[in-house]
Amino acid sequence: MLWDTHMHCCFSGDSDASPESMIASAIEKGLPGVCFTDHLDYDFPSDPPDLFVLDPINYYYEITKLKEQYADQLPIHTGIEIGVQPGLYEKLHQVVTDIPFDQVICSSHVVDGYDLYYKDFYLGKEEHTAYLRYFESIVETLDSFSDFDVYGHIDYVVRYGPNTNRFYSYDAYGDILDTILKKLISMGKGIEINTGGFKYGLGHPNPNEEIIRRYRKLGGEIITIGADAHAPEHVAYDFEKVPAILREAGFSYYTVFKNRKPDFLPIP
């Protein structure tokens, strides 16, 4: 089995799962290790407005205690998933430099003040225009922010768009996707295979296989694996599909971060 390096528990505003239950699921499934990456999204358009704001210091120490408690059963890394928006870069920089996380995932959950989960972002826009605006926002982030290791679920927007991924492909957005991938590679940053796309019924991971192949073809080397689980039953969701996707893209390894440094592990 593979490390699951993108998972959430009750420190995230959208999960009720205890960290112990997520750990127990990983042990039961025989995973070689996990990394908790709970949400930190400042200025999220939610009710309450601090739904995705955790106490990063307390979170870090609570997961560290579990790391020590389960040391002889399961390697546990401490990570965080930061939601980026303009105006937050300095605040997020302070968090991820002050606290010694193993991995930092940077994700775009909000664009132009809109939560992509809800239809308001898509109202008055053609689907192509909405998706393009999402990708443009990633480029804007990469031009201003670099304090992360992996960009999360690069095509996250297709989970919630009017037609999800029915009319979506790499070719339809190739120019801007190439801009994103080339920028990430030049920055020494990675992408992830997020199997949450399978859970959401897309039939593909986020990003899809075309983007993963393109990242590798352009010279990308850093790729992590995560199920984006918010409940124990979704830990390592559809991980049996991942080795073939990696190999078909040209990878012979995947990545696990420790102390913000990539470790390259062979695909089992």
Side-chain angles (χ1 to χ4, degrees), residues 133-244:
R133 176 64 198 127
Y134 165 78
F135 292 127
E136 288 171 347
S137 76
I138 295 178
V139 175
E140 292 164 6
T141 292
L142 296 178
D143 285 340
S144 303
F145 186 72
S146 61
D147 296 313
F148 65 94
D149 305 308
V150 173
Y151 217 100
H153 41 53
I154 287 175
D155 54 8
Y156 170 82
V157 68
V158 305
R159 290 186 185 178
Y160 307 114
N163 296 289
T164 58
N165 63 343
R166 184 180 174 191
F167 304 112
Y168 165 72
S169 67
Y170 165 78
D171 289 339
Y173 303 89
D175 288 346
I176 195 160
L177 285 168
D178 272 7
T179 298
I180 292 168
L181 297 177
K182 289 176 182 177
K183 182 69 171 176
L184 287 169
I185 293 166
S186 71
M187 296 166 69
K189 307 301 182 182
I191 65 170
E192 66 170 354
I193 296 182
N194 187 309
T195 61
F198 293 117
K199 184 182 69 176
Y200 283 91
L202 301 180
H204 304 275
N206 294 117
N208 68 20
E209 295 90 341
E210 293 175 293
I211 296 175
I212 295 167
R213 287 194 295 269
R214 184 62 175 163
Y215 172 75
R216 183 67 184 125
K217 185 175 182 179
L218 290 170
E221 298 182 342
I222 299 172
I223 188 158
T224 59
I225 304 165
D228 209 346
H230 290 67
E233 59 268 27
H234 296 141
V235 171
Y237 190 90
D238 270 0
F239 267 28
E240 68 276 5
K241 298 176 180 177
V242 170

Side-chain angles (χ1 to χ4, degrees), residues 5-21:
T5 61
H6 186 155
M7 66 166 54
H8 303 274
C9 65
C10 56
F11 288 98
S12 290
D14 54 356
S15 175
D16 295 323
S18 69
E20 291 87 352
S21 69

Side-chain angles (χ1 to χ4, degrees), residues 2-7 34-35 37 77 80 102-107 148-154 188-196 205-207 212 215 220-228 239 242-243 245-246 251 253-258 260-265 267:
L2 305 155
W3 276 70
D4 190 337
T5 61
H6 186 155
M7 66 166 54
V34 300
C35 182
T37 54
H77 289 182
I80 195 163
D102 288 304
Q103 174 180 261
V104 176
I105 299 175
C106 176
S107 295
F148 65 94
D149 305 308
V150 173
Y151 217 100
H153 41 53
I154 287 175
K189 307 301 182 182
I191 65 170
E192 66 170 354
I193 296 182
N194 187 309
T195 61
N206 294 117
I212 295 167
Y215 172 75
E221 298 182 342
I222 299 172
I223 188 158
T224 59
I225 304 165
D228 209 346
F239 267 28
V242 170
I245 293 172
L246 284 171
F251 286 95
Y253 53 82
Y254 70 104
T255 312
V256 171
F257 277 86
K258 184 175 183 179
R260 306 290 305 277
K261 302 294 184 183
D263 187 15
F264 299 98
L265 304 180
I267 301 169

